[in-house]
Amino acid sequence: MKKLTFKGGIHPYEGKELSSDKAIRKLEPGDELVFLMSQHIGAPAKPLVKKGDHVLRGQKIADAGGFVSAPIYSSVSGDVKAIEKRKNATGGMVDAIIVTNDKAYEEVEYTPADYTSLSRDEILGRIREAGIVGMGGAGFPTSVKLAPKNPDKIDYILVNGSECEPYITSDYRCMMEMTDRIVEGLQIILRLFKPTTKGVICVEDNKPAAIEKMTKAVLGKENVSVAVVRTKYPEGAERCLISAVTGRKVNSKMLPADAGVVVDNIDTVLAIDDAVTKGIPLMHRIFTVSGDAVENPGNFDVCVGMNYSEVVDAAGGFKNVPEKIISGGPMMGFALMDLNVPVTKTSGAITAFSHDTVSRLMPSACINCGRCLHGCPAHLMPTRLAAFAEHGDAESFEKFNGLECVNCGSCSWSCPAKRPLAAEINTMRQNVLAAKRRKKK
């Protein structure tokens, strides 16, 4: 089988052996769950409950606040303790509904359906009502993504099972343990598009067992196949995956749909299967806890609203006090200052390290070796962009295509001078985008 790839990229230490053989373990949530109203791109959700209300598991407690938004459901039964601001993983204070868990787990009545008998609008309606968003981290409402302006121009649905981020293995475990449900979720998505649209499950070649299982599962399925992509970071980045599998290019002014492609994460596809076939809304996700500071790295089925510290405790806690705790993986994740924050729909992992090697790096002058250029998947000139960022030269930054940066961190990883290229470029990129938004107002 031909191994597909893109131009550029790097090969960081994978670290997946710490948790790849750990089966998913379902966790029981604690006494209090916190449901943030902003856990997706777009308008915050609007509470439908008030303090003192009793809620059931699977009950909608907040509705979408706009077209680009998503409802939120309680993952436990219990009483609404408060509606107040709580801290999110990045340290911001956002509105939240706090529910005390009565441990009874009384559920609402769900409405299953045969997806083959549902219309396109009915399928999209179930996905929208279930509150499904991109669970790979983006958090864009899935019903909006699956309803592009020209659905007849969509040629490919890519299921992103690359999981190129070091240490994280939740998607791998889903492919190993929920194989048929992933295929069914993909078939549901395909019903939203023309009969010739191809569904492709994309898996890196460092996951041979998953490739074998997924390949067997798609045998005899019309327009569904498995694509083996070469293990390389950031193979799972949307633009890189599209380039590797379809040969099509997407830039910052485009959506994947403009190139005839829709990309969805493994967890998102599983949530679609739950919502459409069982009528179950998005209330839980698969979560990896890993890193050399973790006692028992593993993969867990966690309820939205659970506390990060509860998930770490389920992994045996820390062997020692970690110097760096990251929400996500080491390449594209961000440092956590507090574990007392809730799991959201887009939370996927905690990675903890005994030593913070990055903070000890001593940047020196650029030696013009070109390694950052070679590794950049967007084919940019990171050293030059970083220089523009240092001097606040927004015009030159944009002229040299700084907005095409995918913020993967490959340049910083590649740099022998240990320069913080990615951080400088991303800060400038955000500033330029913010200035453009202000101009439009």
Side-chain angles (χ1 to χ4, degrees):
M1 188 179 286
K2 183 181 178 183
K3 296 176 183 178
L4 307 169
T5 193
F6 63 99
K7 185 178 179 181
I10 59 174
H11 295 87
Y13 169 64
E14 294 176 20
K16 294 182 183 288
E17 73 282 355
L18 295 176
S19 60
S20 61
D21 63 342
K22 305 293 180 62
I24 297 167
R25 181 154 63 91
K26 189 174 181 64
L27 298 187
E28 183 175 329
D31 295 333
E32 181 180 283
L33 287 93
V34 177
F35 301 95
L36 301 181
M37 297 296 96
S38 297
Q39 47 181 302
H40 50 259
I41 287 176
K46 296 180 177 179
L48 295 173
V49 294
K50 63 183 183 301
K51 181 179 178 180
D53 284 354
H54 184 74
V55 299
L56 302 178
R57 174 175 161 82
Q59 179 179 331
K60 188 195 293 187
I61 57 175
D63 210 350
F67 177 67
V68 181
S69 186
I72 294 166
Y73 292 80
S74 178
S75 53
V76 296
S77 58
D79 297 328
V80 177
K81 178 181 176 181
I83 299 176
E84 60 190 26
K85 290 192 181 296
R86 287 292 183 94
K87 188 185 296 183
N88 63 16
T90 58
M93 299 298 289
V94 298
D95 291 334
I97 297 172
I98 294 85
V99 176
T100 56
N101 182 8
D102 63 12
K103 307 294 177 75
Y105 301 109
E106 298 173 275
E107 290 191 277
V108 301
E109 187 174 340
Y110 305 120
T111 308
D114 175 3
Y115 75 87
T116 62
S117 66
L118 298 177
S119 68
R120 183 175 187 274
D121 286 344
E122 287 172 328
I123 291 173
L124 282 172
R126 281 184 163 242
I127 294 170
R128 184 184 307 110
E129 187 62 19
I132 300 172
V133 302
M135 296 168 72
F140 192 80
T142 301
S143 61
V144 179
K145 178 189 277 193
L146 295 179
K149 291 181 181 178
N150 299 302
D152 288 342
K153 292 187 177 180
I154 302 299
D155 301 312
Y156 293 94
I157 306 297
L158 303 186
V159 178
N160 189 352
S162 301
E163 200 163 51
C164 62
E165 182 75 31
Y167 290 90
I168 301 177
T169 57
S170 54
D171 285 350
Y172 172 72
R173 291 313 311 177
C174 287
M175 289 187 282
M176 294 298 293
E177 300 177 43
M178 305 176 219
T179 315
D180 292 336
R181 285 188 53 214
I182 293 169
V183 176
E184 185 173 61
L186 175 55
Q187 290 178 304
I188 291 169
I189 297 171
L190 287 170
R191 291 186 66 83
L192 301 173
F193 301 97
K194 61 189 178 184
T196 55
T197 300
K198 298 175 182 177
V200 186
I201 301 166
C202 311
V203 191
E204 279 193 338
D205 61 4
N206 63 350
K207 305 173 183 66
I211 292 169
E212 183 180 357
K213 289 203 75 168
M214 296 307 311
T215 301
K216 286 181 180 177
V218 303
L219 286 175
K221 302 289 192 299
E222 191 175 351
N223 288 351
V224 178
S225 63
V226 173
V228 179
V229 292
R230 192 171 297 164
T231 300
K232 183 169 58 171
Y233 179 86
E235 189 73 69
E238 198 169 55
R239 294 186 207 172
C240 298
L241 193 66
I242 291 170
S243 175
V245 177
T246 72
R248 301 180 182 185
K249 305 297 180 185
V250 177
N251 61 40
S252 64
K253 294 183 175 65
M254 300 169 63
L255 294 171
D258 296 329
V261 185
V262 170
V263 183
D264 273 317
N265 169 266
I266 291 281
D267 242 326
T268 309
V269 174
L270 287 169
I272 289 171
D273 182 53
D274 264 347
V276 177
T277 64
K278 302 172 188 171
I280 298 176
L282 174 52
M283 298 180 290
H284 68 106
R285 62 161 302 129
I286 311 304
F287 197 102
T288 299
V289 182
S290 192
D292 68 356
V294 177
E295 186 67 44
N296 298 305
N299 298 285
F300 305 93
D301 185 343
V302 303
C303 290
V304 171
M306 283 182 68
N307 196 284
Y308 269 33
S309 62
E310 294 175 334
V311 190
V312 171
D313 288 344
F318 298 126
K319 297 177 184 176
N320 45 54
V321 178
E323 286 190 359
K324 176 64 72 71
I325 305 175
I326 299 169
S327 179
M331 293 301 295
M332 294 192 74
F334 54 87
L336 275 170
M337 299 180 69
D338 189 352
L339 281 175
N340 186 30
V341 293
V343 171
T344 68
K345 298 174 184 180
T346 59
S347 307
I350 291 173
T351 315
F353 297 105
S354 300
H355 303 287
D356 183 2
T357 55
V358 174
S359 67
R360 291 185 171 87
L361 298 178
M362 297 298 293
S364 57
C366 173
I367 60 173
N368 296 311
C369 65
R371 292 183 189 177
C372 61
L373 283 75
H374 180 74
C376 179
H379 318 309
L380 304 176
M381 302 174 69
T383 49
R384 183 163 289 186
L385 292 174
F388 295 145
E390 287 176 4
H391 293 91
D393 188 349
E395 184 179 346
S396 297
F397 182 87
E398 195 167 356
K399 179 181 176 182
F400 280 79
N401 300 314
L403 295 181
E404 297 304 315
C405 172
V406 297
N407 194 30
C408 66
S410 294
C411 53
S412 292
W413 185 90
S414 304
C415 180
K418 309 304 178 188
R419 298 180 65 78
L421 302 172
E424 291 174 337
I425 293 168
N426 187 50
T427 298
M428 188 63 170
R429 179 173 167 271
Q430 295 301 325
N431 289 342
V432 171
L433 291 173
K436 285 180 175 292
R437 287 193 294 268
R438 287 194 295 270
K439 268 188 179 181
K440 286 182 180 180
K441 289 182 179 180

